[in-house]
Amino acid sequence: MIRLFFQMLFLRAGPEDMPAGQQPLLIAVGFYVVVGVLLDLAVASDSGLGGGLGSGLMLLAADALVLVVYSAGLTLLRNHRERIPQMLTALFGATAMLGLVAWPLVALQPTGAEAANIDSQLGLWSVMMIALFAWNLVVLGQIYRRTLDFGAAIGVLTALGYFILSSLIYMTLAVQLLPGETGLPT
């Protein structure tokens, strides 16, 4: 399955290529959780931020719930109920693979004195993160396109809708769970 997840990053596989059933979905969710914890640990250890592993897991669970409800809801609206398990397997697997790609960037995020040279380090890091976000939109957009029988542009817009909704919920929860006056890292 890891090979299929990797192929999705290059748009060579889609949700219809995922094995059907609950077990592949559970494996993909497990992979998603492991990568999410690695990313949370990279952020917390690098910057000293974060509300601990419990808060990170709660935010990760909230994101997973948003992904499931948003994606399954759209699939039901398009009358493709039978595609839900494979779509969710693809979404969790692709998101986890993209998280592995992001992990070195997250760990290398310039902070404090390192960020003082904004023109080079922070600028290059920001460009790489924006490129990764665009890649993420295309990959998830492709999964939505193939599952929901949309065109490519609508698939990417559907992925963008997920990211906006997920970000709003994440920020709302982060204010409550993370340390600091506003709950957000400073």
Side-chain angles (χ1 to χ4, degrees):
M1 278 184 43
I2 296 291
R3 192 174 111 205
L4 285 172
F5 296 154
F6 185 77
Q7 289 174 340
M8 279 192 300
L9 298 186
F10 298 100
L11 311 180
R12 292 193 175 136
E16 69 278 4
D17 299 314
M18 297 296 113
Q22 238 179 355
Q23 186 177 8
L25 176 57
L26 292 175
I27 290 169
V29 169
F31 183 40
Y32 169 87
V33 169
V34 167
V35 172
V37 168
L38 284 174
L39 288 169
D40 188 50
L41 292 173
V43 169
S45 68
D46 221 29
S47 62
L49 299 171
L53 187 57
S55 295
L57 286 174
M58 192 175 274
L59 292 169
L60 187 64
D63 182 59
L65 183 63
V66 170
L67 184 61
V68 168
V69 171
Y70 178 82
S71 302
L74 288 173
T75 308
L76 289 172
L77 286 173
R78 298 286 292 176
N79 292 321
H80 294 306
R81 179 186 197 96
E82 70 285 351
R83 298 180 185 183
I84 291 174
Q86 288 175 292
M87 175 198 58
L88 291 176
T89 301
L91 288 168
F92 280 112
T95 302
M97 287 300 283
L98 287 160
L100 283 179
V101 172
W103 185 52
L105 289 174
V106 170
L108 295 173
Q109 178 181 3
T111 58
E114 296 172 353
N117 188 359
I118 287 180
D119 289 337
S120 63
Q121 285 187 348
L122 192 56
L124 177 60
W125 183 86
S126 296
V127 167
M128 291 181 358
M129 288 303 286
I130 290 168
L132 184 60
F133 176 70
W135 186 15
N136 203 331
L137 279 177
V138 169
V139 170
L140 295 190
Q142 177 79 344
I143 293 168
Y144 285 124
R145 180 189 77 77
R146 291 168 87 158
T147 300
L148 303 172
D149 297 326
F150 287 153
I154 300 298
V156 170
L157 288 174
T158 304
L160 184 60
Y162 156 69
F163 283 113
I164 291 169
L165 180 61
S166 178
S167 296
L168 289 172
I169 291 171
Y170 182 93
M171 294 304 286
T172 301
L173 289 174
V175 166
Q176 303 299 317
L177 296 173
L178 297 177
E181 282 182 31
T182 62
L184 298 175
T186 56

